[in-house]
Amino acid sequence: MSTPTPMLLLRASELTGRPVVTLGGELVAEIKDVVFDRTGGRIAGFTLRNPGLFSRSRKDSLPWSGVHGVGRDAVMVADEAVLIPAKELAPRKQAHKANVLEDRVLTDKGRDLGRVVDVVLHSGRSLDVVGYEVQASEALGTAGRRVFIPLPNTMAVSGENLIVPAAATEFVSEDLAGFGAAVEAFRSRLREGTDDAL
Amino acid sequence: MLFSQTRKHNVVSTATATRVARVDGFVVLPGPARVALLRLGKVSGAGTLLAWEDLQSFGPDAVTVATDTVIRPARDTVEQRAEDNDLEIIGKRVLTERGMELGSVTDVDFDPETGAVTSLITKAETISGSRLIGLGGYAVVVSA
Amino acid sequence: MAWWGWVILALVIVLVLMTLAAVLQRRRRRGGVIGLSDPGRSDSK
């Protein structure tokens, strides 16, 4: 999980609208939402919409197992056969409520850190959620600005709130470039002293 | 030989020694990368496709065929799309299988003896024909 | 109302509708980030 290779980070919002293309060179769809598993932070897949300006969302979705490669310009899949019904990836009712954008981030000590504006992903062999970009509240020194808050690599998050360990506030970064190191530092700190947050 | 050098070349029937068509485009297929068909213009019949196997030779100044009856319409959906110009490789974006764009195809280098595609040329680089994985309506996909 | 009054009214209505459509479309096009909590989750306390 924590290899010393430099972290390739991207925002979830950058994936929205990215074309899904088969290895045969056909455009299948565009990425709509990023779906992740809250417990492990791993990307489970993507919901899709049809390409174009007045695009409609689609009834099928792309599970992570069907992804051949996620690049700057496209998400590649072997062929259309890898798509599964959207309700199998994320049941509609659940998906509607589970969007983390606009949610508040609380520390486990009960401080409100701000509102989630984006989610930071790490791209390696799998794609994982490693942090939130938040519109900072007064609890952080940078109130009003957008900052990045790292997440532990195993989370225990309830469905309603986004709770991070209080120690995360010490590893906040203001730019995405420096955030990779902050995530690493935060996670190794959690591994070493798991009880210092108590 | 480059596609750009051979566009608009005449297709000449050796049986009648007359011009029967003009080369308008090339249909490239992967696995292995090759020119599978020529797309023709100024034809007399209904069909506009000429399979590479039906060529007599692809010369430096003209393409020769034994007779113009080998010029035919599309036989399957891939050929139909080729005839509709949906699979034209020139101008199409190149994507690696990792999802990175490498620009768009400006020219293609091929072997006039065999029809094998030796390289795809973009503004920035020359990509070996052996890297071609797929060619569809949206993109040319090459191995990373 | 003179004829040009109706023309201006029509133009204003079209403009309002177009703005509305653009705003709606922008909202709809924004992707979400959906966090699925598996059934056996443990609430942190």
Side-chain angles (χ1 to χ4, degrees):
Chain A
M1 187 78 194
S2 60
T3 42
T5 50
M7 287 187 119
L8 253 158
L9 300 180
L10 70 155
R11 290 180 171 93
S13 63
E14 291 172 43
L15 291 171
T16 300
R18 213 167 271 194
V20 177
V21 182
T22 67
L23 293 181
E26 303 296 345
L27 179 61
V28 175
E30 275 177 9
I31 299 290
K32 185 166 172 267
D33 308 304
V34 176
V35 180
F36 73 102
D37 165 28
R38 287 193 190 219
T39 345
R42 188 161 287 195
I43 299 300
F46 305 99
T47 67
L48 305 173
R49 65 182 184 211
N50 283 324
L53 186 63
F54 294 98
S55 50
R56 305 192 54 175
S57 50
R58 289 170 54 129
K59 289 197 164 62
D60 47 8
S61 66
L62 172 59
W64 179 254
S65 59
V67 173
H68 185 85
V70 178
R72 194 190 55 203
D73 305 296
V75 174
M76 307 302 291
V77 297
D79 50 48
E80 284 198 48
V82 302
L83 303 184
I84 60 169
K87 55 177 188 280
E88 276 176 35
L89 181 70
R92 216 180 161 76
K93 266 188 193 159
Q94 204 183 341
H96 194 69
K97 276 188 272 177
N99 192 351
V100 299
L101 297 182
E102 305 297 320
D103 277 3
R104 311 294 307 186
V105 177
L106 290 176
T107 68
D108 51 6
K109 301 265 170 88
R111 290 184 82 189
D112 184 334
L113 299 182
R115 179 173 58 84
V116 177
V117 289
D118 214 329
V119 172
V120 183
L121 308 174
H122 167 243
S123 169
R125 246 203 309 226
S126 63
L127 200 58
D128 302 277
V129 174
V130 294
Y132 296 130
E133 183 176 13
V134 303
Q135 185 84 44
S137 70
E138 286 76 39
L140 296 165
T142 53
R145 267 188 285 168
R146 290 183 165 200
V147 295
F148 298 98
I149 296 174
L151 293 174
N153 52 10
T154 51
M155 283 184 285
V157 208
S158 85
E160 284 101 58
N161 284 307
L162 302 174
I163 294 179
V164 297
T169 56
E170 295 166 38
F171 297 91
V172 165
S173 11
E174 288 193 52
D175 61 303
L176 200 53
F179 187 56
V183 172
E184 285 293 348
F186 172 58
R187 287 183 172 182
S188 65
R189 159 82 167 275
L190 288 183
R191 275 195 296 275
E192 286 158 16
T194 41
D195 50 0
D196 75 346
L198 289 171
Chain B
M1 205 180 272
L2 295 172
F3 279 6
S4 60
Q5 294 168 340
T6 51
R7 253 203 169 132
K8 307 294 175 204
H9 273 190
N10 288 332
V11 179
V12 177
S13 158
T14 52
T16 59
T18 51
R19 190 187 84 167
V20 292
R22 187 188 67 190
V23 178
D24 268 4
F26 298 83
V27 182
V28 173
L29 292 182
R34 66 200 187 277
V35 178
L37 302 145
L38 303 183
R39 220 160 36 74
L40 307 178
K42 298 210 159 150
V43 291
S44 48
T48 61
L49 296 177
L50 174 57
W52 186 269
E53 310 83 73
D54 295 332
L55 287 182
Q56 205 165 58
S57 78
F58 201 110
D61 303 304
V63 175
T64 55
V65 289
T67 153
D68 65 353
T69 54
V70 294
I71 299 171
R72 60 176 177 78
R75 279 183 188 153
D76 53 41
T77 49
V78 173
E79 290 191 3
Q80 187 58 54
R81 291 184 64 194
E83 198 166 29
D84 297 343
N85 217 2
D86 192 24
L87 300 178
E88 173 61 53
I89 192 167
I90 302 293
K92 196 149 280 178
R93 63 172 69 70
V94 182
L95 286 175
T96 70
E97 58 174 326
R98 300 262 159 264
M100 287 274 280
E101 193 172 326
L102 303 178
S104 49
V105 179
T106 54
D107 213 337
V108 175
D109 198 3
F110 71 106
D111 180 350
E113 296 291 322
T114 61
V117 168
T118 45
S119 57
L120 309 177
I121 298 159
T122 68
K123 220 174 201 175
E125 58 189 308
T126 300
I127 302 156
S128 164
S130 61
R131 286 175 62 191
L132 183 73
I133 297 175
L135 172 61
Y138 183 77
V140 179
V141 181
V142 297
S143 58
Chain C
M1 200 160 17
W3 66 270
W4 47 266
W6 291 108
V7 171
I8 289 172
L9 190 67
L11 281 174
V12 167
I13 290 171
V14 166
L15 211 73
V16 167
L17 283 176
M18 274 171 65
T19 317
L20 208 72
V23 168
L24 272 174
Q25 188 61 17
R26 246 185 91 116
R27 276 190 59 169
R28 228 162 53 88
R29 283 186 70 81
R30 195 178 168 205
V33 184
I34 297 164
L36 297 178
S37 31
D38 65 27
R41 74 187 185 220
S42 58
D43 287 358
S44 68
K45 263 272 156 77

